Amino acid sequence: KMEIRIHNLTERLSSAVGSQSKLSEDLRISREYKITASRREREMDERMEAVEEKLQQKDQLVCEYEVKVANLEAELATSKQKNSEVKAKSSQLKAELIAETSSLKDKNEALERKVQRLEVMKSALEENKEQKKLLASLQNELKASSSECRYWKQQTK
């Protein structure tokens, strides 16, 4: 009976040693998997950090571009405002120029009529010798008016 019991105990011991060997092998494999998993997790963390850094850089670039776009839009609005002001000033100056040109033409026509009257008076005075002094005065005035007429004619061209 003792031999049977020893034999049973020996088998159980062998079985336990086999189980322990299997458990030791499973434990070793489990540790290797754990080490590999930890390594992969670190690699993934490093990749995630790199991706997050790139994303932050891209976000920074987007912010910078948004600021640049806002500045350019402000400059465009300012330029449009200045352009409108220049157009208004140009229209005003054009109207003033037209009015001044019209005024100068009117003056020129009045001076031409005066020159014609003076020429008529000159011819009438030449016939009358007694009015030579008046004729000289009118001739001076005629020269001055003719000169002024030429001046205003040039101004209106």
Side-chain angles (χ1 to χ4, degrees), residues 13-80:
L13 182 61
S14 287
S15 175
V17 167
S19 291
Q20 183 182 3
S21 294
K22 175 70 175 145
L23 286 174
S24 292
E25 181 64 20
D26 288 348
L27 181 61
R28 185 189 61 77
I29 291 172
S30 175
R31 283 182 183 154
E32 286 177 6
Y33 282 140
K34 185 177 179 182
I35 291 169
T36 304
S38 293
R39 189 175 324 134
R40 285 183 184 163
E41 185 178 349
R42 278 193 307 273
E43 289 173 358
M44 290 301 291
D45 287 344
E46 290 171 0
R47 287 181 189 166
M48 284 297 292
E49 288 175 10
V51 167
E52 286 175 359
E53 186 176 320
K54 285 182 181 179
L55 184 61
Q56 286 176 351
Q57 290 172 350
K58 287 182 181 181
D59 285 345
Q60 179 66 29
L61 285 175
V62 167
C63 289
E64 289 173 6
Y65 285 129
E66 287 174 349
V67 168
K68 286 180 182 180
V69 166
N71 288 339
L72 289 174
E73 287 174 346
E75 287 179 28
L76 177 63
T78 301
S79 294
K80 284 182 178 181

Side-chain angles (χ1 to χ4, degrees), residues 7-153:
H7 182 343
N8 283 341
L9 286 174
T10 306
E11 281 182 13
R12 284 173 75 194
L13 182 61
S14 287
S15 175
V17 167
S19 291
Q20 183 182 3
S21 294
K22 175 70 175 145
L23 286 174
S24 292
E25 181 64 20
D26 288 348
L27 181 61
R28 185 189 61 77
I29 291 172
S30 175
R31 283 182 183 154
E32 286 177 6
Y33 282 140
K34 185 177 179 182
I35 291 169
T36 304
S38 293
R39 189 175 324 134
R40 285 183 184 163
E41 185 178 349
R42 278 193 307 273
E43 289 173 358
M44 290 301 291
D45 287 344
E46 290 171 0
R47 287 181 189 166
M48 284 297 292
E49 288 175 10
V51 167
E52 286 175 359
E53 186 176 320
K54 285 182 181 179
L55 184 61
Q56 286 176 351
Q57 290 172 350
K58 287 182 181 181
D59 285 345
Q60 179 66 29
L61 285 175
V62 167
C63 289
E64 289 173 6
Y65 285 129
E66 287 174 349
V67 168
K68 286 180 182 180
V69 166
N71 288 339
L72 289 174
E73 287 174 346
E75 287 179 28
L76 177 63
T78 301
S79 294
K80 284 182 178 181
Q81 176 65 28
K82 286 181 181 178
N83 188 29
S84 295
E85 291 171 2
V86 166
K87 282 182 180 180
K89 184 68 175 177
S90 174
S91 295
Q92 176 189 354
L93 291 174
K94 186 176 180 179
E96 290 174 4
L97 181 62
I98 289 171
E100 188 175 335
T101 300
S102 175
S103 170
L104 290 174
K105 283 182 181 179
D106 291 345
K107 270 187 176 180
N108 184 45
E109 289 171 4
L111 287 171
E112 284 178 348
R113 287 190 300 272
K114 185 176 181 181
V115 166
Q116 287 173 353
R117 277 195 322 266
L118 290 173
E119 286 177 354
V120 168
M121 291 173 80
K122 175 185 169 189
S123 64
L125 286 175
E126 285 176 351
E127 294 173 8
N128 193 347
K129 290 183 180 182
E130 294 175 320
Q131 299 178 349
K132 279 190 178 182
K133 287 184 181 179
L134 183 57
L135 177 60
S137 170
L138 287 174
Q139 283 177 337
N140 288 338
E141 188 176 341
L142 175 61
K143 287 179 186 176
S145 294
S146 292
S147 174
E148 189 175 349
C149 179
R150 282 191 302 274
Y151 170 77
W152 287 112
K153 237 182 200 178

